[in-house]
Amino acid sequence: MIVSEYFGLNVFNKAQMQARLPKEIYDQVIYAEKNGGGISNECADIVAKAMMDWAMERGATHYTHWFLPLTGITAEKHDAFISAPDLMGKTIEKLTGKQLIRGESDASSFPSGGLRATHYARGYTAWDMTSPAFVKEMSCGTILCIPTLFFSYHGEALDNKTPLLRSMDALSQQALRIVRLFGDRDAKKIIPSVGAEQEYFIVDREKYLKRRDLIYTGRTLFGAPAPKGQELEDQYFGVIRERVGRFMADLNTELWRMGIAATTQHNEVAPGQHELAPIHCTCNVAVDHNQLTMETMKRVAGKHDLVCLLHEKPFEGVNGSGKHNNWSISTDTGKNLLNPGETPNNNLQFLLVLSCIIKAVDCHADLLRVSSACAGNDQRLGADEAPPAIISIFLGKQLEDVVQQIVLNGTAADCLTDGQLDTGVSTLPVIKRDAADRNRTSPFAFTGNKFEFRMVGSSDCIANSNTVLNTIVAEAFCEAADVLEKSCNVATETKKLIAENLRDHSRVIFSGNGYSAQWIEEAAQRGLPNLSSMVSSIPSLTTEKSVRLFGQFGVYTKAELESRSEILYETYAKVKCIEAKTMLHMASKHYIPSVVRYSTRLADSVCKVRSACPEADITVQQELLKKTCALLRRANDALAVLEKSVENSNGVECLREMANYCHDVIAPAMRALRQPIDQLELIVDKDIWPVPTYGDLMFEV
Ligand code: ADP
Ligand code: MG
């Protein structure tokens, strides 16, 4: 079958609704999706029945309210369509409008950050009509998934989706004010579009199962570098290995069936690392799609006896994985506000939008930083191959030049053009060169008609970053509109405002090498925040500035922000403790016993060779034995220190303190234990070493 014949087959999309619903019901649903306000109970019953009939045709036996709790992953509880058996023992399939629209569940086992005391356990899920229902084919059955929002008894958001939708509303309202200033009367809504490039690693399942660190934490906590890493640059865009290729083909098919437009696949920089990118779509749908993509990657990998690692840094010494969050904003009539046109210097609306985004990013760099903070990303950010923890903007030569002219003169008289590429090959047709080059090292880069936020971790939910992006830009638009709507001469005032925004905030623009040490110094001189760790970034969420911003646009209440910061501290501490305990387990149960066996083997050799041939040179065995025993000593001492520091953490009650303790005490103790063990790996016989090595994991698939 060709792709277009089965693309979206598992989605209850508009075409399905239109075909299966009476016209007036379909119209009600479409109206409610666009304008809110919900649908009547009678209407909901009809939609539910049609949705169930469709799902059953696709083989579904159950439905679930599918949501994004604050665990960062998705949640689902399956309920069969069957009704209670009647007197004759017969059942019928049923999904009522009420079941479709609202679910009530015990929320006490989901993170709430103190928003909900355990005895007020009720949580509600509510149908999010803006994201289509779909069926998921799994070994436990085919399940109808109804995307929902999740909130507490008092209406506080307990998920990542509710604030995202609120931020999209805020952005739309404020951006509409901007386009109105430029005469657009047709647009009714402004919609952010997102395409999330997803990086991941693939390893062999059998080898994976031999490593407790991968099983419990998703990353290797020990491991010496393999003789070959990524230095030859032969992996990036290289030929895809057959076994991985079969996985990718299978993955694409599953994603396409669920209406996810997976389009790009390639090998990434590190050995064993790959990327998948979908075609961009409406922000909240892109969030759902990215969650589903991650989940499907893991499931499909299993079918091929592979494991997909979504951790930000599964292996030390080679590139980690991120998610490039491509973001743009368009009118519902299809005009992209980030399209610079041929001559951006004359495109006043574009320049205003651009200057507002620059202002937003500069004013709220701390919020963007915390939106991409997760324990795994601490390992990746600033590791010479990922953006540093400092937020800066790359605009490209053309726009940077325009910005410079405006900063200096108030206007930009001209702009650099694209030009032609001189390849020196006479048989090649003329090739156009883009007006701007790329910069891989920038965390926030303008790439043609979108911004690319590259800080997000590969395992993270992209909802948070987009919530922040939408809200901070809404604020900058609002401030601009407040001034310009009052003005008698909009064009002159706009130019003034653009220059003002750019003058005040151009410190955040940087086109140099973001990986370099000089940049860290220069950024400090410019006064840009450098929140190098997750724990140092969390306080940004609850500053007065943040509470005011999110409160003004109705995205988060103060209580919601406080709860999220609690959850971040708690999650960080828990992740670190699991990692530390896994290290203790591996060191005492796997590595140290193996090293003891190896040293015994050496000692045996020393004794046996000496008695068999007293004049033989046994200094090699002796040196090895000495070196091994010295490292063993260091490992055992470090083990004791880590053990003690984990034990001491039991007394820490405050979550913030606990997270800081994990960062300041436990993490260094973990690094100290890793060092001697990694050195031992390079000495000890391969047949005695208890776990697969970096070479085995990254190169043998
Ligand atoms: P690159 O990042 O290498 O330039 P692409 O241009 O193919 O690669 O874009 C990468 C991602 O950006 C894809 O997911 C793509 O759908 C998405 N994208 C492209 N245009 C836009 C846009 N206007 N808004 C949001 N995302 C976009
Ligand atoms: Mg990209």
Side-chain angles (χ1 to χ4, degrees):
M1 246 205 292
I2 57 171
V3 180
S4 57
E5 280 173 18
Y6 65 88
F7 186 86
L9 213 58
N10 285 344
V11 187
F12 192 60
N13 52 23
K14 290 213 173 86
Q16 284 296 340
M17 280 201 269
Q18 197 167 31
R20 287 166 185 266
L21 295 172
K23 180 162 185 325
E24 65 280 10
I25 301 290
Y26 175 75
D27 289 345
Q28 254 196 62
V29 173
I30 297 300
Y31 183 87
E33 186 209 313
K34 268 204 180 127
N35 306 298
I39 53 174
S40 68
N41 289 345
E42 297 74 45
C43 178
D45 279 334
I46 297 168
V47 178
K49 171 84 173 56
M51 200 187 268
M52 180 188 72
D53 287 345
W54 166 81
M56 287 199 304
E57 283 168 29
R58 309 264 359 113
T61 50
H62 293 68
Y63 76 97
T64 181
H65 275 195
W66 186 80
F67 59 101
L68 277 63
L70 298 172
T71 50
I73 51 175
T74 57
E76 55 193 41
K77 176 190 73 156
H78 307 161
D79 283 302
F81 288 130
I82 55 171
S83 63
D86 64 12
L87 288 176
M88 306 301 285
K90 285 188 69 99
T91 181
I92 51 163
E93 279 83 8
K94 224 169 121 185
L95 178 70
T96 64
K98 215 173 133 211
Q99 287 168 318
L100 165 67
I101 288 180
R102 203 196 77 170
E104 190 265 313
S105 67
D106 184 345
S108 57
S109 294
F110 291 105
S112 78
L115 272 182
R116 178 200 40 67
T118 320
H119 50 288
Y120 298 123
R122 243 182 244 279
Y124 293 100
T125 48
W127 182 26
D128 168 17
M129 296 173 77
T130 61
S131 191
F134 56 94
V135 296
K136 235 173 22 173
E137 294 162 325
M138 299 182 291
S139 21
C140 63
T142 298
I143 314 292
L144 166 64
C145 297
I146 303 164
T148 52
L149 308 182
F150 182 47
F151 45 85
S152 74
Y153 188 70
H154 296 292
E156 290 123 341
L158 292 177
D159 67 352
N160 285 322
K161 215 34 177 336
T162 307
L164 177 75
L165 293 182
R166 293 171 181 163
S167 74
M168 287 169 69
D169 272 352
L171 178 69
S172 180
Q173 276 172 27
Q174 302 307 325
L176 272 179
R177 295 173 67 190
I178 299 291
V179 297
R180 292 279 185 267
L181 286 167
F182 290 89
D184 186 336
R185 303 265 140 238
D186 304 327
K188 299 214 165 39
K189 218 174 178 175
I190 308 284
I191 306 158
S193 275
V194 167
E197 303 163 55
Q198 175 74 47
E199 294 177 342
Y200 61 96
F201 279 83
I202 288 289
V203 296
D204 178 73
R205 187 172 152 77
E206 208 180 307
K207 297 194 180 80
Y208 165 92
L209 288 175
K210 292 192 175 129
R211 296 212 45 145
R212 292 282 136 188
D213 46 4
L214 286 179
I215 295 174
Y216 296 141
T217 73
R219 71 170 174 123
T220 54
L221 298 167
F222 297 97
K228 178 176 190 274
Q230 60 193 42
E231 53 280 82
L232 290 180
E233 296 169 333
D234 52 352
Q235 161 76 4
Y236 192 56
F237 286 11
V239 176
I240 294 164
R241 291 170 293 179
E242 287 291 292
R243 200 166 156 209
V244 176
R246 285 192 291 274
F247 153 77
M248 285 181 172
D250 231 9
L251 173 65
N252 284 333
T253 308
E254 289 228 13
L255 295 178
W256 290 334
R257 285 167 74 82
M258 288 193 289
I260 299 171
T263 170
T264 308
Q265 61 193 27
H266 63 80
N267 284 356
E268 254 301 327
V269 171
Q273 192 187 26
H274 310 276
E275 180 181 301
L276 177 150
I279 296 173
H280 60 103
C281 61
T282 307
C283 182
N284 61 317
V285 177
V287 170
D288 281 0
H289 282 182
N290 184 247
Q291 295 293 136
L292 270 176
T293 300
M294 290 194 282
E295 180 187 318
T296 312
M297 280 175 161
K298 290 194 162 179
R299 191 158 42 78
V300 174
K303 285 194 200 165
H304 293 262
D305 287 322
L306 297 167
V307 174
C308 173
L309 303 177
L310 290 170
H311 195 283
E312 285 72 19
K313 195 79 176 179
F315 302 103
E316 222 173 66
V318 294
N319 275 19
S321 299
K323 208 139 32 189
H324 292 181
N325 188 84
N326 293 271
W327 177 92
S328 66
I329 34 180
S330 303
T331 62
D332 53 352
T333 51
K335 287 186 201 140
N336 181 357
L337 272 55
L338 292 182
N339 189 354
E342 291 291 313
T343 48
N345 55 317
N346 293 327
N347 187 342
L348 222 49
Q349 180 182 308
F350 170 76
L351 288 176
L352 179 63
V353 167
L354 181 74
S355 76
C356 285
I357 295 175
I358 291 170
K359 175 182 173 183
V361 172
D362 185 37
C363 292
H364 299 293
D366 57 339
L367 288 176
L368 280 170
R369 169 66 184 95
V370 70
S371 79
S372 59
C374 63
N377 226 6
D378 268 19
Q379 249 68 45
R380 166 180 169 256
L381 294 179
D384 294 342
E385 29 80 3
I390 307 161
I391 302 267
S392 64
I393 301 180
F394 173 78
L395 290 178
K397 228 186 200 152
Q398 187 191 44
L399 288 185
E400 206 169 308
D401 170 63
V402 170
V403 167
Q404 246 163 29
Q405 291 185 53
I406 297 175
V407 167
L408 288 174
N409 317 319
T411 55
D414 52 28
C415 75
L416 307 170
T417 49
D418 31 21
Q420 289 173 5
L421 212 64
D422 180 14
T423 59
V425 179
S426 62
T427 49
L428 222 58
V430 171
I431 297 181
K432 257 180 83 169
R433 174 171 55 200
D434 288 304
D437 197 5
R438 285 166 177 266
N439 181 326
R440 254 173 17 97
T441 68
S442 176
F444 199 85
F446 186 75
T447 41
N449 60 1
K450 59 183 160 89
F451 272 103
E452 194 171 328
F453 183 42
R454 297 168 174 155
M455 234 179 204
V456 189
S458 50
S459 69
D460 216 354
C461 172
I462 55 170
N464 294 329
S465 292
N466 287 300
T467 301
V468 168
L469 256 173
N470 295 339
T471 314
I472 63 176
V473 173
E475 182 193 52
F477 284 167
C478 174
E479 285 166 1
D482 283 350
V483 173
L484 298 176
E485 280 166 358
K486 284 192 219 115
S487 145
C488 321
N489 190 339
V490 175
T492 316
E493 279 288 329
T494 303
K495 281 184 197 157
K496 220 174 98 192
L497 192 64
I498 292 169
E500 201 177 289
N501 280 348
L502 293 178
R503 280 189 194 122
D504 291 350
H505 302 285
S506 61
R507 65 170 186 168
V508 76
I509 299 170
F510 176 65
S511 51
N513 180 4
Y515 297 169
S516 71
Q518 293 98 290
W519 170 231
I520 295 179
E521 261 175 49
E522 190 182 330
Q525 276 161 18
R526 292 188 189 192
L528 301 178
N530 182 3
L531 302 167
S532 64
S533 67
M534 173 170 175
V535 286
S536 66
S537 74
I538 301 174
S540 313
L541 263 187
T542 47
T543 58
E544 227 176 274
K545 168 175 82 90
S546 166
V547 173
R548 200 175 340 108
L549 165 80
F550 289 117
Q552 182 186 349
F553 295 98
V555 175
Y556 289 114
T557 61
K558 186 163 184 244
E560 285 171 342
L561 286 170
E562 280 164 355
S563 75
R564 270 147 221 262
S565 104
E566 290 290 282
I567 292 171
L568 288 178
Y569 283 128
E570 188 174 8
T571 308
Y572 178 81
K574 283 180 177 165
V575 168
K576 281 292 150 204
C577 285
I578 293 170
E579 287 182 351
K581 286 181 194 164
T582 305
M583 287 188 91
L584 292 175
H585 173 92
M586 289 177 79
S588 49
K589 302 265 177 226
H590 300 183
Y591 293 120
I592 291 181
S594 303
V595 178
V596 169
R597 266 212 314 284
Y598 176 63
S599 58
T600 313
R601 188 188 278 185
L602 285 172
D604 276 351
S605 163
V606 170
C607 297
K608 284 183 182 153
V609 175
R610 182 185 284 148
S611 69
C613 176
E615 62 279 13
D617 181 353
I618 49 166
T619 51
V620 172
Q621 291 95 315
Q622 282 175 324
E623 271 166 31
L624 273 174
L625 185 57
K626 247 169 72 187
K627 211 163 152 189
T628 304
C629 289
L631 286 166
L632 185 61
R633 173 79 265 152
R634 267 182 57 203
N636 208 53
D637 290 348
L639 177 79
V641 172
L642 181 60
E643 210 162 18
K644 193 87 205 133
S645 60
V646 171
E647 240 174 70
N648 290 345
S649 73
N650 291 330
V652 188
E653 294 230 321
C654 155
L655 291 174
R656 181 173 179 173
E657 248 176 69
M658 177 66 183
N660 278 303
Y661 177 82
C662 289
H663 179 266
D664 300 341
V665 180
I666 294 189
M670 285 167 59
R671 283 193 291 276
L673 174 57
R674 176 175 185 151
Q675 231 188 19
I677 303 252
D678 286 359
Q679 275 173 272
L680 281 162
E681 185 185 320
L682 299 173
I683 298 173
V684 175
D685 268 11
K686 175 110 179 134
D687 69 326
I688 284 185
W689 199 247
V691 299
T693 62
Y694 270 24
D696 301 335
L697 287 163
M698 284 191 276
F699 290 92
E700 291 180 20
V701 163

